[in-house]
Amino acid sequence: MRPAPTIAIVIPCYNEEAVLPKTLPLFLGKLEELARNEQISSDSYLMLVDDGSRDATWNIVSTLARHDARVRGICQSRNRGHQNAVLAGLMEVRNRCDASISIDCDGQDDINAMDRMVARYREGFDVVYGVRSNRDTDSAFKRSTAQLFYKLLAWLGADVVYNHADYRLLSAQVMQELANFREVNIYLRGMVPLVGFKSCEVSYERARRIAGSSHYPLAKMLGLALDGVTSLSIKPIRLIIALGALISFFSFIGVIWAVVNVLAGWSVSGWASIISVICLLGGVQLICLGVIGEYVGKTYLEAKARPRYIISERTQHMEDESHLEELQ
Ligand code: UDP
Ligand code: MG
């Protein structure tokens, strides 16, 4: 069995001033409990990633960090989205812990599942996925759209873990390998399975947000879904080829039918049918162009290879450690 690891709990926060005062004591309590039971080492800590919040989030983080060495934080220069924030946190801690656990800061994910995650890690697993056992607390709409999203992803050839959000344990080795994935369009749920290593799941019940409101309205969720599909699989392009072949086949039959009509001297009826076919094909072509365009756009962004996150500030502890690393 592996020895009790140093754990870094990576927590993305965006405009969470209402939530942090309630959930931070819970996270710290969990660290204390696990250390007391000798499940984790006592130098485990929280890594809070402020994703360019416009409220007092960074103030809360930096103030707490001054008083408690187990609280560390980095601040992003602007809002870059949940995925980039989690990645920034993981990259920051990868040389400073044995394993990380990423979790949302809003108290929706059950922190008690961490006990089982750590136990699994100590048994030898490098990736432990937190999987929701139910979605009763989400609205019926969010539940059904999320379900649809997973089904769609699976059908489109993207390998994702069913009902797994971004609550997971990663060993330091997995994080090192993840650092070699240089893509700019980040979708961690799809990338982690690609890294491989021994993985398992622990299930937990998802609760309601403790305070504040979700940052994922329908439009953002659709964006994430589209991003997820196009960054994990090229099956949509293959589907276009299949669709094109199907339409060409029917058009070919149509042409033969038209020729037979002319030769037989039957009148070819009205323009309505012609117009509707033209409209249909116009629509289909635009959709296909859109799908291809999505990939071209992604390639453009990848080619520019801009930084995936920019850290503008660190709490004192992290600064000290970076200096040490530079000296070594
Ligand atoms: N979050 C972030 N950047 C963003 C949006 C959200 O870091 O641009 C964080 C947020 O603070 C929370 C987590 O990502 O810790 C999940 O967000 P949220 O709870 O709003 O999403 P939901 O749980 O409704 O899917
Ligand atoms: Mg949430």
Side-chain angles (χ1 to χ4, degrees):
M1 194 158 92
R2 287 170 168 164
T6 299
I7 295 281
I9 302 184
V10 174
I11 312 171
C13 317
Y14 177 52
N15 292 343
E16 301 282 13
E17 62 181 4
V19 172
L20 286 181
K22 296 195 174 97
T23 53
L24 281 182
L26 300 179
F27 288 125
L28 287 170
K30 192 75 214 172
L31 278 186
E32 218 165 278
E33 181 196 321
L34 286 169
R36 207 178 329 114
N37 297 340
E38 295 181 358
Q39 287 296 308
I40 62 173
S41 142
S42 56
D43 56 2
S44 299
Y45 56 91
L46 306 182
M47 164 52 72
L48 296 151
V49 184
D50 175 12
D51 189 17
S53 301
R54 279 183 300 267
D55 65 0
T57 299
W58 181 244
N59 236 332
I60 297 174
V61 173
S62 48
T63 310
L64 199 62
R66 273 197 292 276
H67 296 107
D68 193 331
R70 293 170 306 166
V71 178
R72 305 181 193 178
I74 53 176
C75 181
Q76 301 230 63
S77 62
R78 51 162 293 184
N79 179 243
R80 297 293 301 267
H82 175 224
Q83 298 291 304
N84 297 59
V86 175
L87 186 80
L90 295 179
M91 293 302 107
E92 192 73 12
V93 301
R94 71 183 205 270
N95 294 320
R96 300 181 170 106
C97 65
D98 298 313
S100 68
I101 298 180
S102 51
I103 185 169
D104 290 354
C105 72
D106 55 8
Q108 283 193 284
D109 301 319
D110 181 11
I111 52 172
N112 293 317
M114 287 185 190
D115 301 43
R116 281 173 289 145
M117 287 184 167
V118 172
R120 282 343 230 350
Y121 167 79
R122 297 190 66 191
E123 282 166 24
F125 289 96
D126 285 292
V127 180
V128 187
Y129 298 105
V131 177
R132 298 171 198 180
S133 55
N134 70 42
R135 278 180 169 264
D136 295 348
T137 51
D138 279 347
S139 68
F141 179 71
K142 178 138 192 176
R143 202 159 59 222
S144 47
T145 45
Q147 219 91 24
L148 198 73
F149 172 47
Y150 283 109
K151 292 223 170 88
L152 188 74
L153 271 185
W155 185 68
L156 288 171
D159 181 16
V160 286
V161 177
Y162 188 65
N163 258 351
H164 160 67
D166 282 286
Y167 185 18
R168 71 176 83 78
L169 178 145
L170 298 177
S171 70
Q173 197 182 1
V174 171
M175 288 189 277
Q176 295 295 358
E177 295 302 333
L178 194 64
N180 295 329
F181 283 59
R182 305 303 319 170
E183 61 235 65
V184 178
N185 298 285
I186 309 162
Y187 188 64
L188 287 168
R189 283 177 227 182
M191 284 159 70
V192 173
L194 293 178
V195 179
F197 289 90
K198 251 176 99 177
S199 69
C200 64
E201 297 175 5
V202 300
S203 63
Y204 67 95
E205 290 193 3
R206 193 160 150 98
R208 266 178 220 289
R209 228 173 196 281
I210 286 187
S213 57
S214 169
H215 300 99
Y216 278 96
L218 181 65
K220 249 190 171 176
M221 257 179 61
L222 283 179
L224 189 70
L226 194 66
D227 246 8
V229 172
T230 49
S231 49
L232 288 175
S233 134
I234 55 160
K235 197 161 171 190
I237 295 184
R238 299 246 167 86
L239 287 177
I240 291 178
I241 300 175
L243 185 71
L246 195 74
I247 292 178
S248 308
F249 176 72
F250 283 118
S251 315
F252 184 65
I253 293 183
V255 169
I256 294 177
W257 175 239
V259 172
V260 170
N261 263 294
V262 171
L263 292 182
W266 301 323
S267 63
V268 181
S269 59
W271 60 273
S273 51
I274 298 175
I275 292 293
S276 52
V277 170
I278 290 177
C279 288
L280 174 78
L281 284 182
V284 169
Q285 280 173 357
L286 281 181
I287 293 173
C288 298
L289 266 181
V291 175
I292 297 170
E294 181 70 25
Y295 284 97
V296 173
K298 279 245 154 79
T299 314
Y300 175 57
L301 290 176
E302 294 293 341
K304 280 197 286 198
R306 286 184 178 156
R308 299 180 286 184
Y309 53 85
I310 296 172
I311 298 171
S312 58
E313 266 179 87
R314 288 179 165 85
T315 54
Q316 197 54 45
H317 202 92
M318 299 308 289
E319 290 278 9
D320 294 347
E321 286 201 348
S322 329
H323 282 309
L324 275 180
E325 263 167 29
E326 274 165 28
L327 289 176
Q328 275 162 9

